[in-house]
Each structure stands twice: as structure tokens, then as C-alpha cells.
Amino acid sequence: MTAMISLRNIWVEYGDKIVLERVNLDIAERSFVSIVGPSGAGKSTLLRLLLGQEAPSRGQILLDGVPLKPECGPDRGVVFQRYSVFPHLDARHNVLFGLECAAAPLTGRLFGAARRAALEEADAMLAAVGLGDNGHVFPAQMSGGMQQRLAIAQALVKRPRILLLDEPFGALDPGIRGDMHRLITRLWREQALTIAMVTHDIEEAFALATRVLTLDKRRHDPHAPHRFGATAVYDLVLDRRVKAEIEAIRSITIDENDNN
Amino acid sequence: MRLVNIRPTRRTTALLGAAPLILLVLAYLVASASRHAFNPADKILPTPGAMIAAMRALVIEPDVMTGERLFWSDTFASLERLGLGLAISTLWALIAGLILGLIPLMRATFGALVTTVAVIPPIALLPILFIVFGLGESAKVALIVIGILPLMIRDIAAYVESLPPEQMIKAQTLGASSWQLALRVALPQVMPRLIHAVRLSLGPAWVFLISAEAIASDVGLGYRIFLVRRYLSMEIILPYVAWIALLAIAMDWVLRQISQRGFAWAHGAR
């Protein structure tokens, strides 16, 4: 498969503090990349680069061969750990938001037939993440898991080239987290997504991803620890056999049929 | 049980809340009666009868000079000034607050100006307003606006700035432009806060209204209070103050209802 996103010799520096150094990375279409590493190793920085929220100090990021603008756009969807949904809109309108922004630049709202068509699309997406019956519920009335489902639906309705997840399940109960793992795996397969996920949970990283990327510092200067940045120290591609073994070790089966 | 854990029921809350007010009224009645027993011509603590008689002349009987019922023309004049001042302030606080809160360039340009204006005591500007706008209605409305607008702008701008950055990023990944961010993300979320800011500004707005009316006016609640002060007419001042308090409470209640009905999501509706 060809590389959809390429990072070429990326450096990120804040003043004299180097966060990332010499990051070279190709992310293939339809892959699921987990990014793990100790705190402060630049996991979230890397995700912000991919998102376009920040520009690298040096180096180049290419999306489909074109340099990425340092601004967020609808070709890259995102789900954060919290605050990714709009509290003033119910579930349906949260999902509708992305469709309305593209179609109505001035009013930000759709009317008549166009609105009905967009609402149908939004409802279908809500159903796909298991919120089919919760269209009129506001985020404040939802559990953490439901809010994350909504955030995923909201991002996917724009059909982004890549979906970026920043510790999306970190704040959820273990049981709910399992449900969310099944959901994201199913969506990834069904909708042919490309996903990059930052996580603290190594088990989660291996269970979900086709590729696990570990960020850490290769070099360490005890007198000036901030002068060396992190880079990808392990880059493991997981094939089906390895994944099956990991599954066996975890002895948790992913139920493909009854995954809400 | 610890004191901090004792919670009154709805009924008890109402009773407890009314008790100090009732006690206050009773204390006044007792004090008034005792002063009148000593000196029937006392003007400092008038009896309820004297208040009713004095107010009847203002509420029901037309004034000899103008033919108007003074209490009502005072009320309407004051409410008009207050309403205009609040409406202008609210509109501009919303527009300026959104612009300052959302656009870093605008914040860099005008943030210091708003902060500077906000620290100037508005009453100190009143002479300038009278010189610029004359002694008419505009100077009084302008005092209210200058008095409450800078703080309202700062409050709204700070609130817009404090919206989670994740939300702004998310909206941008959903294709929102700067305009759409303002219109669809910031504006609806700021509305309950705006109503809250208006409620908090009601107190200062009344202060500036009464001040302006006291200094230069020929009609208005504040004007009347300061006019009859010359004759020690407590039987008019006290009902007027009570009426002002009642109007302020009613306005606050209406604003709270609007916020709760219109923006249920912001009040933790379950």
C-alpha cells in the first residue's frame, strides 16, 4: 500500500526544548496506528502535527503527496479524550454540524430538502455508532462512553482521510472501554478508515492497531535532558498471526456479530 | 448531624427566607409607632398610613402642573432609560465579546483599551457626558452604557476564550470557518452567559441611572427621590425605594426564566 501521510525528518522545538527529532514516518491507507510512549515523549505533539494544529519546526508533512497546511481541516477528523462534542446541540445536531458547515458557508444551517437529506445521513451515522435512539439527547445527559460514540460519529460523517484519536477511551470505565474497542474496530473495517491513536494503554494499543509506534528518546543527556527529542524507537507491524497470539494471551474474544 | 449537612425542605426554605423580611417590616412598624407616640409630627419613620396617603397623590391623582400621574411617568421614564442602556450594552457586549474572545488579532489590538476603559469610574465621566450629550436622555443612557459595557465585554470575551480549545479544533476539523465558529459554536454557548452578565449588571445599571437622574433630570424615580429629600419626605422615598427593589427583582426573575427556558442545556437539564 502507498503512504497516505508521510512525515519527512520532522523536528519540533519549543524554544531550546526539543520535543521531537528526526521523525520519519509513512502511514499507509487503511492502517490503524497506535502511538505509545512515556509521558512527555511527544505523542500528543505528533498527533497535533498530523491534525495541523501545530507546524513542525523543521521537516515536511505530506498528505497524499501534498504538503499539509498548518491548520485543521475537514480531511482529518479528531476525537479527543474530552470536550469533543458541542454541549449546546443534541446528538443529531452535533452530527449534522459538519454537514451544515460545508453546505451553508454563510448561515451555517441547512433548510428544507437539503436539511432532511443531511439529517438522514446524520441519523444513519448515529445508528452506526449505536446512538440510533439518542438523537435528541444532549451531551450533558450522556455517559462518557456515549459522548465518545457521538464524537466518533461527528468526525466520521465528514468521511475524513484519517481519523486521529487522542486517548479517546482513557477516561472510560474498563467495561465501556471494551465496548468502544469493538465499536472502533468494526467502524475501521466497515468504513475502510485510516486511524492514528495516541494511548497510554499498551494493551489497548496492541489489541486494536495494525502497527504500534513507540516514541521515546534515543539519546539522553543528564545535564540537559531537554536538548534531545523523542523519535520512533520501535515500529512494530502486527500481522494477523501476532494479533491472534496477543488475543490468546489476553483471552478476550472480540465478538464480531454482536458488537453494538 | 453536622450543621453543614442540614438541608431545609422547599417549604422551610420559603418560610426561613420570608422570616427576616417580615421581622424587618415589624421592626419598622414598632419603631415608627414608638416615634409617633413621642412626636406625632415625626417625618423620619412615617406610618404606613402616611405612606399610602402620599403615594395615592402620586399614583392615582394627576399632577397639578403637568396633568400626569407622577409615579407612573417616573417609572416609565426610568425604565425607558434603563432598558435602552441595557439593550445597547447587551448587544455590544455580545458582538465585541465574541470578536475579542475568538480572534487573537482583535484581542491584541483592543484588549488593553477595554481593560483601560473598564477601570475608569463611570461617574467621573458624567460631567463629560453632560458636556458632550447635553442634559437630555442620551447622557443618562450613555452613563449606564459606559458603566456596565466594559465589564460585560470583558466577561463575555473571557468566557468565549475559556471555551475548551478541543471544541474549536473539532469544529475546524468539521469544516467550520471563522464565521461559522462564531455563529454556530461560540454564539449559542455564550447566550446563557450573556443573560447572566445582564443580571449581574442590573445592580450597577440602577446605580448609574439613579445617579444620572439625581444630578440632572425632570422626571424619573431617582429624580423624585432626590427632589422630595429636600422636604424630608420619607413617606415618598421609602415606597419609591421599595418599588425600585421590586422592579429589579422582577427583571432578574424574568431574565432567569428566559435563560432556563431557552437554554436548558446550560442549566444541567436532566
Side-chain angles (χ1 to χ4, degrees), chain B residues 181-243:
Chain B
L181 274 177
L183 189 70
R184 294 289 322 271
V185 181
L187 175 67
Q189 292 195 67
V190 108
M191 285 310 287
R193 181 66 176 212
L194 184 69
I195 294 175
H196 184 73
V198 174
R199 284 178 64 195
L200 288 181
S201 300
L202 274 179
W206 274 104
V207 171
F208 298 126
L209 173 75
I210 304 287
S211 314
E213 286 181 345
I215 293 169
S217 185
D218 51 9
V219 66
L221 297 169
Y223 163 74
R224 196 68 53 199
I225 293 175
F226 276 80
L227 182 75
V228 301
R229 175 194 61 93
R230 297 175 196 168
Y231 316 109
L232 281 182
S233 293
M234 290 290 273
E235 72 276 11
I236 293 176
I237 295 176
L238 288 177
Y240 260 67
V241 171
W243 176 237

Side-chain angles (χ1 to χ4, degrees), chain B residues 14-148:
Chain B
L15 284 175
L16 286 174
L21 291 173
I22 294 169
L23 277 178
L24 203 64
V25 171
L26 283 178
Y28 177 87
L29 292 177
V30 170
S32 170
S34 67
R35 280 185 76 99
H36 278 83
F38 183 70
N39 170 20
D42 177 62
K43 289 196 68 110
I44 305 301
L45 298 181
T47 55
M51 288 190 212
I52 290 168
M55 288 308 288
R56 183 193 297 274
L58 292 169
V59 176
I60 298 171
E61 290 159 21
D63 181 46
V64 197
M65 299 274 287
T66 57
E68 285 175 9
R69 289 175 176 84
L70 288 178
F71 175 78
W72 298 111
S73 46
D74 284 342
T75 302
F76 290 130
S78 286
L79 284 184
E80 191 186 348
R81 291 164 189 152
L82 193 72
L84 265 176
L86 284 172
I88 294 170
S89 303
T90 307
L91 184 69
W92 282 105
L94 181 62
I95 295 171
L98 280 176
I99 291 175
L100 289 182
L102 276 176
I103 308 172
L105 278 176
M106 289 293 164
R107 188 156 61 238
T109 315
F110 295 109
L113 176 71
V114 172
T115 311
T116 309
V117 174
V119 299
I120 300 174
I123 298 289
L125 294 177
L126 191 56
I128 302 177
L129 296 179
F130 281 141
I131 292 167
V132 174
F133 294 106
L135 297 179
E137 295 300 291
S138 1
K140 300 178 192 69
V141 174
L143 180 69
I144 297 175
V145 172
I146 288 178
I148 63 175

Side-chain angles (χ1 to χ4, degrees), chain A residues 51 53 73-74 76 78 80 83-84 86-88 97-98 100-101 104-109 140-141 151 154 158, chain B residues 164-177 179-181 183-186 188-189 265 268-270:
Chain A
L51 188 57
Q53 197 183 339
R76 283 149 290 150
V78 68
F80 294 106
Y83 304 123
S84 328
F86 303 118
H88 61 290
F97 181 89
E100 286 185 314
C101 278
L106 202 62
T107 57
R109 278 185 180 80
Q141 296 154 278
Q154 206 182 14
K158 296 293 286 182
Chain B
E166 287 93 338
Q167 238 182 60
M168 297 292 162
I169 300 290
K170 176 85 182 193
Q172 291 178 44
T173 65
L174 298 176
S177 62
W179 167 246
Q180 287 170 330
L181 274 177
L183 189 70
R184 294 289 322 271
V185 181
Q189 292 195 67
W265 57 266
R270 289 215 169 241

Side-chain angles (χ1 to χ4, degrees), chain A residues 150-213:
Chain A
L150 179 56
I152 292 169
Q154 206 182 14
L156 290 186
V157 83
K158 296 293 286 182
R159 316 236 163 257
R161 294 285 288 133
I162 182 166
L163 180 63
L164 303 166
L165 308 174
D166 193 357
E167 301 194 30
F169 314 128
L172 305 179
D173 297 334
I176 307 288
R177 207 179 296 172
D179 291 345
M180 296 302 290
H181 288 170
R182 286 188 276 279
L183 172 72
I184 200 73
T185 306
R186 178 168 61 81
L187 290 171
W188 172 63
R189 293 223 175 102
E190 284 178 4
Q191 312 218 1
L193 303 173
T194 310
I195 298 180
M197 175 178 76
V198 163
T199 179
H200 266 118
D201 183 344
I202 295 198
E203 232 177 274
E204 175 177 274
F206 277 92
L208 296 180
T210 58
R211 181 177 173 192
V212 176
L213 209 64

Side-chain angles (χ1 to χ4, degrees), chain B residues 237-252:
Chain B
I237 295 176
L238 288 177
Y240 260 67
V241 171
W243 176 237
I244 290 173
L246 202 66
L247 288 175
I249 291 170
M251 288 161 107
D252 189 68

Side-chain angles (χ1 to χ4, degrees), chain A residues 87-165:
Chain A
H88 61 290
L89 299 173
D90 65 16
R92 266 182 124 193
H93 291 88
N94 259 296
V95 179
L96 192 64
F97 181 89
L99 300 172
E100 286 185 314
C101 278
L106 202 62
T107 57
R109 278 185 180 80
L110 289 171
F111 301 98
R115 178 181 168 84
R116 279 193 293 279
L119 272 175
E120 259 174 45
E121 204 181 331
D123 286 341
M125 190 46 80
L126 280 176
V129 299
L131 290 178
D133 300 328
N134 295 287
H136 296 289
V137 179
F138 281 85
Q141 296 154 278
M142 291 181 168
S143 66
M146 284 166 83
Q147 289 192 18
Q148 290 309 74
R149 282 168 195 267
L150 179 56
I152 292 169
Q154 206 182 14
L156 290 186
V157 83
K158 296 293 286 182
R159 316 236 163 257
R161 294 285 288 133
I162 182 166
L163 180 63
L164 303 166
L165 308 174

